[in-house]
Amino acid sequence: NAGVTQTPKFQVLKTGQSMTLQCAQDMNHEYMSWYRQDPGMGLRLIHYSVGAGITDQGEVPNGYNVSRSTTEDFPLRLLSAAPSQTSVYFCASSYNGAGRANVLTFGAGSRLTVL
Amino acid sequence: AQKITQTQPGMFVQEKEAVTLDCTYDTSDPSYGLFWYKQPSSGEMIFLIYQGSYDQQNATEGRYSLNFQKARKSANLVISASQLGDSAMYFCAMREHQAGTALIFGKGTTLSVSS
């Protein structure tokens, strides 16, 4: 099993460019989420989804778009990149029940630099 | 709204000693789950331990135990017999069990273990 696959691992963008971070999981998880990690800030939730066709905003959604057309995929779109979006991005997924079903499986992370 | 607080930016411990990493939370949902994750310098996120709000006993996983004090809304991680490989960032996280909620993280604590 591949688990959670994030691509690309590294990306450098210029201010104003757009791009999509891809996230795919093969565990039939209903819940998928995107976090960004910045020094001293922990992991902050950008967007999440509890099932195909359902998405919701997290703590820091501005400048990002998501969609969930299939159970497996949850891409994160940067509409017009800004230097403030320089960060490490993690995609994570889990089942949507209670208890240990909520343990997240993480992707390896994507390091994005916006110049 | 749910909230997680980790007040210790950094902790230092000697090998073979025990260490407690603090975590407090806030929620109005009586049903929720608490999680601890480890992030070594390589960057991957590793699940350590889970505690449910209705669990009668404190969770334990090998050298990790969770000191769950529900009335105080605290969920401290205790690592017994620290090892050099325990040096990492540690994150506390919580998810309410009501439908449609997300898992959120604290800002993390950096643990340094010395010989």
Side-chain angles (χ1 to χ4, degrees):
Chain A
N1 283 344
V4 177
T5 303
Q6 275 183 248
T7 56
K9 284 189 168 44
F10 301 94
Q11 183 72 48
V12 179
L13 289 177
K14 294 182 179 177
T15 296
Q17 287 184 319
S18 62
M19 76 155 300
T20 300
L21 295 174
Q22 301 289 347
C23 177
Q25 52 90 10
D26 61 358
M27 297 169 285
N28 208 28
H29 284 168
E30 302 96 342
Y31 178 89
M32 296 187 75
S33 52
W34 278 101
Y35 298 88
R36 60 177 289 174
Q37 184 176 19
D38 304 291
M41 302 298 290
L43 280 86
R44 292 184 292 171
L45 181 67
I46 305 171
H47 286 285
Y48 67 102
S49 168
V50 296
I54 305 168
T55 62
D56 208 343
Q57 296 182 350
E59 180 186 357
V60 287
N62 292 341
Y64 306 95
N65 247 354
V66 292
S67 60
R68 184 96 180 268
S69 55
T70 67
T71 300
E72 295 79 17
D73 300 298
F74 192 45
L76 179 72
R77 297 181 188 85
L78 280 70
L79 308 172
S80 177
S84 61
Q85 293 178 302
T86 294
S87 188
V88 177
Y89 291 84
F90 285 97
C91 179
S93 71
S94 74
Y95 294 107
N96 202 33
R100 290 183 68 100
N102 289 335
V103 172
L104 287 176
T105 300
F106 280 83
S110 300
R111 184 174 293 274
L112 175 66
T113 301
V114 183
L115 302 176
Chain B
Q2 51 183 354
K3 186 179 177 183
I4 287 277
T5 303
Q6 294 179 255
T7 58
Q8 305 156 312
M11 290 286 286
F12 297 87
V13 69
Q14 292 234 308
E15 245 184 324
K16 299 180 186 175
E17 290 184 347
V19 63
T20 298
L21 306 183
D22 293 343
C23 174
T24 58
Y25 61 92
D26 193 21
T27 178
S28 56
D29 189 345
S31 181
Y32 51 88
L34 296 155
F35 307 77
W36 278 91
Y37 286 83
K38 172 184 178 181
Q39 186 181 40
S41 58
S42 53
E44 74 266 32
M45 295 291 291
I46 302 167
F47 165 72
L48 295 178
I49 195 165
Y50 167 81
Q51 178 83 45
S53 59
Y54 290 122
D55 292 345
Q56 294 297 311
Q57 297 198 331
N58 288 343
T60 60
E61 296 276 355
R63 294 186 299 111
Y64 304 107
S65 60
L66 202 152
N67 184 1
F68 181 46
Q69 299 190 38
K70 195 170 181 177
R72 293 186 176 184
K73 293 188 175 178
S74 75
N76 298 339
L77 178 71
V78 180
I79 305 175
S80 63
S82 298
Q83 302 171 355
L84 294 177
D86 294 333
S87 293
M89 178 79 84
Y90 290 80
F91 292 100
C92 181
M94 180 178 80
R95 187 177 181 193
E96 297 168 340
H97 288 161
Q98 61 181 300
T101 59
L103 194 148
I104 62 165
F105 285 83
K107 292 187 177 182
T109 297
T110 301
L111 176 65
S112 299
V113 182
S114 59
S115 57

